[in-house]
Amino acid sequence: MADNSFGQLFSFTTFGESHGPGIGCVVDGVPPRLPLSESLIQPYLDRRKPGQNRFVTQRREADEVEILSGVFEGMTTGTPVAMLIRNTDQRSKDYGEIARQFRPGHADFTYQEKYGIRDYRGGGRSSARETASRVAAGAIADLALKQFLGSDFRIRGGVVQIGPHAIDRSRLDWDNVDNNPFFCPDPVAADQWEGFLDSVRKAGSSAGAILEIVADGVPAGLGQPIYGKLDSELAAAMMTINAVKGVEIGGGFALSAMDGADAGDEMRAGDQGPEFQSNNNGGVLGGISTGQQLVVRVAIKPTSSILTPRKSVDLEGQDVDVVTKGRHDPCVGIRGVPVAEAMMAITLLDALMRHHAQCGLGDPA
Amino acid sequence: MADNSFGQLFSFTTFGESHGPGIGCVVDGVPPRLPLSESLIQPYLDRRKPGQNRFVTQRREADEVEILSGVFEGMTTGTPVAMLIRNTDQRSKDYGEIARQFRPGHADFTYQEKYGIRDYRGGGRSSARETASRVAAGAIADLALKQFLGSDFRIRGGVVQIGPHAIDRSRLDWDNVDNNPFFCPDPVAADQWEGFLDSVRKAGSSAGAILEIVADGVPAGLGQPIYGKLDSELAAAMMTINAVKGVEIGGGFALSAMDGADAGDEMRAGDQGPEFQSNNNGGVLGGISTGQQLVVRVAIKPTSSILTPRKSVDLEGQDVDVVTKGRHDPCVGIRGVPVAEAMMAITLLDALMRHHAQCGLGDPA
Amino acid sequence: MADNSFGQLFSFTTFGESHGPGIGCVVDGVPPRLPLSESLIQPYLDRRKPGQNRFVTQRREADEVEILSGVFEGMTTGTPVAMLIRNTDQRSKDYGEIARQFRPGHADFTYQEKYGIRDYRGGGRSSARETASRVAAGAIADLALKQFLGSDFRIRGGVVQIGPHAIDRSRLDWDNVDNNPFFCPDPVAADQWEGFLDSVRKAGSSAGAILEIVADGVPAGLGQPIYGKLDSELAAAMMTINAVKGVEIGGGFALSAMDGADAGDEMRAGDQGPEFQSNNNGGVLGGISTGQQLVVRVAIKPTSSILTPRKSVDLEGQDVDVVTKGRHDPCVGIRGVPVAEAMMAITLLDALMRHHAQCGLGDPA
Amino acid sequence: MADNSFGQLFSFTTFGESHGPGIGCVVDGVPPRLPLSESLIQPYLDRRKPGQNRFVTQRREADEVEILSGVFEGMTTGTPVAMLIRNTDQRSKDYGEIARQFRPGHADFTYQEKYGIRDYRGGGRSSARETASRVAAGAIADLALKQFLGSDFRIRGGVVQIGPHAIDRSRLDWDNVDNNPFFCPDPVAADQWEGFLDSVRKAGSSAGAILEIVADGVPAGLGQPIYGKLDSELAAAMMTINAVKGVEIGGGFALSAMDGADAGDEMRAGDQGPEFQSNNNGGVLGGISTGQQLVVRVAIKPTSSILTPRKSVDLEGQDVDVVTKGRHDPCVGIRGVPVAEAMMAITLLDALMRHHAQCGLGDPA
């Protein structure tokens, strides 16, 4: 698999830098005869779009997607869907002074070490701007999954912790995520976070976050053991998102501390077949979906671009102090939600297709 | 990539079930002219071998590996190295009664849902026995890395938490991991865990664990952004290990709660080039290694096979109570250490080769 | 994809050298619940087995395959099927004198150049012995295709030219291929070849061949354009077989000389849908199967191991004259037939699965 | 590997239809710090551009490439290079009448069978217009190879047969290919072909061709046996080109008729190391380059779009007679030359990188 591609059967390849002509992706393996148009994809991009409130970067990108191929008379044809988003609001001058400096916590140093060259403007390829391409690809996956799995299928995501402030899970209500600027499923926490993030921003600092993404209506049987396990693919998918430093499935790290008698999810006969009595495993057993809700949590580190001066070195290896101006998210985790949702959709459609290929050819016996 | 393969350039494919004729793997992309023999691989397998103390399964497998190909006169030839480990101590009768039952927390239900058939003997393909193959493949990777990266390179791993009992990091000493049956780098914690695990075992239950795997001597520049990021590959690798439910890099989930001014690792000029002042990012920035210590932590759930009766259903969907007899690890996390080390070695050699292919052809300018 | 693997969804990885402990393969992506056993695979291997008549190598290998995994109670489980064939009749002494010489036409020189080391015994990895593994993998593919495509599906192959002597196509009768030692579909040609090959053998030389492999009952729609075209995959598959120097589909090279008005296969309405009036395209248009007979021809060069002395150099670059003793096929093309059939089966099953994954999820509209 | 991608390490993914907004590709694995700009790529595209003489389609596409990413200040950065070529001269009305008809010899029928939908305008995805993307990707590969392999490295190609008229190989002169509209290396044949093709065009028909592509300066050792053999990759590459029905390496099909004593290329010590006395194997032995000239020949069928009425059926399965108007190449093989050269460059760079990854890490011993 190429380095800038993800997925085996439903796959996409992204391209583009923060301050180049544009970004985009080529989505391959798209099932044919799906209704598709820019207007169906745009709402997904709009959720991620910068400049929408004071808690995200004030860079104002239209993020208008153009479909270049793979759609004919409003339907997918089974050929690659290429999508292009032109960059329109690059202020390269903001970045001029860091052309020779390595911003702490950023990929400046490592890109330079790896390639011996880097497009330093806005982080170049390592900018979170790349994630718009994934959201566009994820939109196709989500639309396809809704077609194939029906109305029971639904991916939802939100921020369940900002900085040290977690939601109260007794108030978790996914319908609340669109009522506040944080994709927060707990209305009370959302109010508290507003003050917290304002103070972080005023202090010239930033905050991390923990995201939770869930999928309902996922059939049992998806995931290809041993090295194409559904949870392994999901972990890989999430870890490719900028600033992500951890992934857990279901109970995750907390499960390590539980007693074995409590951890395993018991089952009982139900009206519609076996029913699980709990979901500590987050909908995955042995790398294969159980039919329960799929639950993934993602740890995102604080935004590295902050106004507070930071110690670093420059290209010549000399000590410098770096202050990152420009327009940045005080908490990049927030806009990570639609990106993580997109990655889950892509991973699930790919898993569905892989499962179908091996196990859906009919009963040989 | 095939479902049972891992790695792009240095890759391996495993096969085998817990109670079939044997397990093994084919390792492809092995650099030529590496010294290799069974006696060089066996020590890696011996670290993972069952039956060595009362805290791991009493199944007694010789786990003797036979190299079937790819080695000539003690050296690798660049052709695939196939390795076979015959199963010798299968007691299939232990498992007869669960042929028609789904053990909670196990993959019994999901394999049946996915494939419509399963080899139920000892968990079949989903048994942790498969991990011996990875350890054999990992041995080759580790030996190769030591050749190419020199004596500075070293992977070490241990258990840093069993059940709710974490080590005291001020006592962390990697040299201590071989002095106790838990791969515990904290001698005091190791003593305490002994009592804890005995009580867990006597209660017919089990415990989870958190592993930490570190690599020193990793050069800067490894990892292929955006979808071949080193941390994404490591997360995928770890998540394929049985019972793993979470992965974090460096500060991980705790990093989400930190202030942005503390989280980013500052740099200063040092005698040998830039020096990082901290390692919250665990040796990876933007998916590329920084040259610092690589730090990965892995959450492992409690062993699902326990003596305590558990509610479940059978193949016909009828309620049953499952008691898992047989010989099981009270904490599967312990024997996960050499497996996680192996997966790190494999991931690193693959990343080294991928980096070298793209960036090591010489300076075109 | 690893170097020693073939196929995307139905894939296999082979291992082993001519004179090592054994050869074999791991087949991944096997559909579950297929009846499978050694006895079902052995007949495919027996067709390729050496030592059966005077026109093939007199090396006598039992070529008995052992299934190591992936089958439970006579059925595939969806997990990898590993197969092992032990080498039993290696006479390494025959090859001792060429340990330091490069046999003309063989891979001795190139393996040495590439890897800086080679297992020279019997050609090591480059020996045609490797193809037994493919035949075993192909057997599974063929059995699966027969299950999924029904009794109309059938792959047949034969030798249509040996040295300069082609069959008379007016006498082509696939039922004849098992009546002579050449897999020749023309009984008259088979008789003539006997004398020709005897003279070639007595002269201490060898002959090339052209194979033709056809598949009936292939549904329209298989093949993934643009870079997974069915004919591209078939060409790649055939070109991996030892000594193959050319591949053509349908009319192939002769088609280049035809007039455009004759070359395109016309269609007319038939009782069961559109019917093609000719098959110059060999059952593939735009990389996708048409539903017609699939026709592939394969050019195989003369056996390079001959008794006639040949000029060469040794490891030190000194001039030497090489005489290849040992037991060799006067025409390796003959035993290539079951191998080419196997590669076609593998390619077709993979194509079927890939098509099904993308286009078989149901009608989204 | 995705269906619309080619290459393992140096890889590209193409998108676009003949009459959509545009076509293009994303090239991944590009080595960093290569000089690159539109002006370096354009000359490669210009060789393939339509409308340049009366023997190729009169469609007039500017074929101007825009680099969207991966280049910074005139140098590659190691990130994906996306390239876009807008379609400018689509005359969709020409194709309106065949919206419901299957043109014989084209992919109309098979795309419809496979996907249940097709973009019929100008052949949509199956149009040879797609090959412009490959030429752009191939330009990068060729430029890179020249950097890494030096001035000895050179790929050249031409048409060695049009219809039944082959060149006289005693007159073969690669320097002649740019002196005539046929990329013909034989000046006398070029003159003859002019009259032949004019008569073919006037008859409303078309002609096939055989191409020959050679590469000098290829080091020994490239190619990854067994399933990544250099000749297998080349065959796959060539077979993905529109209208290709056959591929041969070196002596190819003619080699099958040779005597074994003549076929194997002998060697003798030379001033600069071993020297081959002939090149029947076309520079590849055992799937690995020998260091000799690499020789590939490609059979291309006659253009399927001709003015002569042809029998076919329509979407409803009714008999129709198809006359293909529009602007078409009387011999598509001609413009196939730069495409085949591009595919060879891509295949070679990929092989170089794969070889380097496995065997270029240094001497472990």
Side-chain angles (χ1 to χ4, degrees), chain B residues 256-271:
Chain B
S256 300
M258 284 180 72
D259 185 84
D262 301 324
D265 301 309
E266 296 187 296
M267 301 174 84
R268 273 294 175 245
D271 294 339

Side-chain angles (χ1 to χ4, degrees), chain C residues 99-118:
Chain C
R100 307 189 65 77
Q101 300 179 346
F102 301 127
R103 295 167 300 164
H106 275 286
D108 299 347
F109 175 70
T110 52
Y111 270 68
Q112 187 69 39
E113 287 286 306
K114 181 178 190 70
Y115 298 116
I117 183 177
R118 76 181 203 281

Side-chain angles (χ1 to χ4, degrees), chain A residues 170-213:
Chain A
S170 69
R171 288 191 302 251
L172 187 149
D173 174 9
W174 289 113
D175 291 335
N176 193 56
V177 293
D178 292 327
N179 299 338
N180 61 74
F182 311 108
F183 297 112
C184 178
D186 167 358
V188 180
D191 286 345
Q192 296 163 341
W193 291 356
E194 199 157 331
F196 169 70
L197 263 197
D198 272 333
S199 70
V200 162
R201 198 158 45 96
K202 280 170 194 158
S205 190
S206 63
I210 297 179
L211 316 185
E212 184 166 314
I213 316 291

Side-chain angles (χ1 to χ4, degrees), chain A residues 263-326:
Chain A
D265 301 308
E266 295 187 297
M267 300 173 84
R268 272 294 175 245
D271 294 339
Q272 325 252 307
E275 284 178 5
F276 286 91
Q277 312 292 303
S278 57
N279 191 13
N280 289 315
N281 284 289
V284 188
L285 281 172
I288 303 171
S289 63
T290 62
Q292 295 172 277
Q293 186 179 63
L294 201 60
V295 181
V296 181
R297 263 183 309 279
V298 179
I300 301 191
K301 70 178 181 181
T303 309
S304 296
S305 298
I306 56 177
L307 287 167
T308 306
R310 305 282 289 151
K311 295 176 192 163
S312 188
V313 297
D314 62 17
L315 270 177
E316 281 72 39
Q318 300 300 309
D319 286 354
V320 289
D321 285 335
V322 175
V323 175
T324 311
K325 293 172 196 160

Side-chain angles (χ1 to χ4, degrees), chain A residues 1-7 11-17 24-26 111 115 125 130, chain B residues 224-229 354 358, chain D residues 11 13 26-30 78-81:
Chain A
M1 182 56 49
D3 302 334
N4 290 278
S5 301
F6 188 84
S11 70
F12 69 101
T13 304
T14 74
F15 62 86
E17 278 78 35
C25 61
V26 184
Y111 269 68
Y115 298 116
R125 180 71 180 149
E130 185 267 350
Chain B
Q224 299 294 108
I226 304 287
Y227 299 100
K229 285 179 171 171
R354 289 163 79 179
Q358 186 185 13
Chain D
S11 70
T13 304
V26 184
V27 188
D28 205 353
V30 180
T79 64
V81 177

Side-chain angles (χ1 to χ4, degrees), chain C:
Chain C
M1 184 55 51
D3 302 333
N4 291 279
S5 301
F6 187 85
Q8 307 294 316
L9 295 181
F10 181 83
S11 70
F12 69 100
T13 303
T14 73
F15 62 86
E17 277 79 34
S18 178
H19 287 60
I23 60 169
C25 61
V26 185
V27 188
D28 205 354
V30 181
R33 302 192 310 282
L34 286 171
L36 194 68
S37 64
E38 281 92 347
S39 64
L40 286 168
I41 293 170
Q42 200 63 47
Y44 292 83
L45 282 166
D46 289 346
R47 289 190 79 208
R48 181 204 155 277
K49 203 166 61 176
Q52 304 192 110
N53 61 61
R54 73 180 184 278
F55 302 108
V56 298
T57 174
Q58 294 308 300
R59 176 169 172 165
R60 297 195 177 274
E61 287 286 358
D63 275 0
E64 275 180 22
V65 66
E66 178 190 11
I67 295 176
L68 293 171
S69 64
V71 177
F72 182 58
E73 297 182 343
M75 304 270 267
T76 59
T77 60
T79 64
V81 176
M83 295 184 280
L84 176 62
I85 301 169
R86 292 276 176 185
N87 289 330
T88 55
D89 186 32
Q90 315 100 300
R91 297 193 200 163
S92 292
K93 64 179 173 339
D94 283 350
Y95 298 95
E97 63 188 10
I98 57 159
R100 307 189 65 77
Q101 300 179 346
F102 301 127
R103 295 167 300 164
H106 275 286
D108 299 347
F109 175 70
T110 52
Y111 270 68
Q112 187 69 39
E113 287 286 306
K114 181 178 190 70
Y115 298 116
I117 183 177
R118 76 181 203 281
D119 179 348
Y120 49 77
R121 301 167 302 167
R125 179 69 178 150
S126 71
S127 164
R129 178 140 186 77
E130 186 268 351
T131 60
S133 298
R134 316 183 188 207
V135 173
I140 299 178
D142 192 57
L143 292 165
L145 285 164
K146 282 173 174 155
Q147 293 273 2
F148 294 123
L149 298 181
S151 56
D152 284 347
F153 175 77
R154 189 170 177 193
I155 291 175
R156 289 176 295 187
V159 178
V160 295
Q161 183 175 321
I162 279 193
H165 306 293
I167 64 163
D168 178 336
R169 296 194 75 87
S170 70
R171 288 191 301 251
L172 188 148
D173 174 9
W174 290 113
D175 291 335
N176 193 57
V177 294
D178 292 327
N179 299 338
N180 60 76
F182 312 108
F183 297 113
C184 178
D186 167 358
V188 179
D191 285 344
Q192 296 164 340
W193 293 354
E194 199 155 332
F196 169 70
L197 266 196
D198 273 332
S199 71
V200 163
R201 198 157 45 96
K202 280 168 195 161
S205 190
S206 63
I210 297 179
L211 316 184
E212 184 166 313
I213 316 292
V214 301
D216 292 278
V218 176
L222 304 195
Q224 299 294 109
I226 303 290
Y227 299 101
K229 283 178 171 172
L230 184 57
D231 36 6
S232 172
E233 303 278 332
L234 284 168
M238 297 303 166
M239 274 284 190
T240 64
I241 301 174
N242 307 51
V244 171
K245 302 303 286 188
V247 181
E248 57 183 13
I249 308 290
F253 277 87
L255 204 51
S256 299
M258 284 178 73
D259 185 85
D262 301 323
D265 301 308
E266 296 187 297
M267 300 174 84
R268 273 292 174 247
D271 294 339
Q272 325 251 308
E275 284 178 5
F276 285 91
Q277 310 294 301
S278 57
N279 191 13
N280 288 316
N281 283 288
V284 187
L285 281 172
I288 304 171
S289 63
T290 62
Q292 294 170 277
Q293 186 180 64
L294 201 60
V295 181
V296 182
R297 262 184 308 280
V298 180
I300 302 192
K301 68 178 183 182
T303 310
S304 296
S305 300
I306 56 178
L307 286 167
T308 306
R310 306 281 292 150
K311 297 176 191 164
S312 188
V313 298
D314 63 17
L315 271 176
E316 281 73 37
Q318 300 300 308
D319 285 355
V320 289
D321 286 334
V322 175
V323 175
T324 313
K325 293 172 194 160
R327 304 150 293 170
H328 302 288
D329 294 273
C331 174
V332 285
I334 299 169
R335 288 205 295 137
V337 170
V339 181
E341 290 170 343
M343 294 308 289
M344 185 180 270
I346 289 160
T347 304
L348 281 175
L349 180 56
D350 194 39
L352 178 68
M353 290 168 69
R354 290 162 79 179
H355 173 68
H356 195 61
Q358 185 184 13
C359 300
L361 286 164
D363 197 335

Side-chain angles (χ1 to χ4, degrees), chain A residues 98-120:
Chain A
I98 56 160
R100 307 189 65 75
Q101 299 180 348
F102 301 126
R103 294 168 300 164
H106 276 287
D108 300 346
F109 175 72
T110 51
Y111 269 68
Q112 187 69 40
E113 287 285 307
K114 181 177 190 70
Y115 298 116
I117 184 176
R118 76 181 205 278
D119 179 348
Y120 48 77

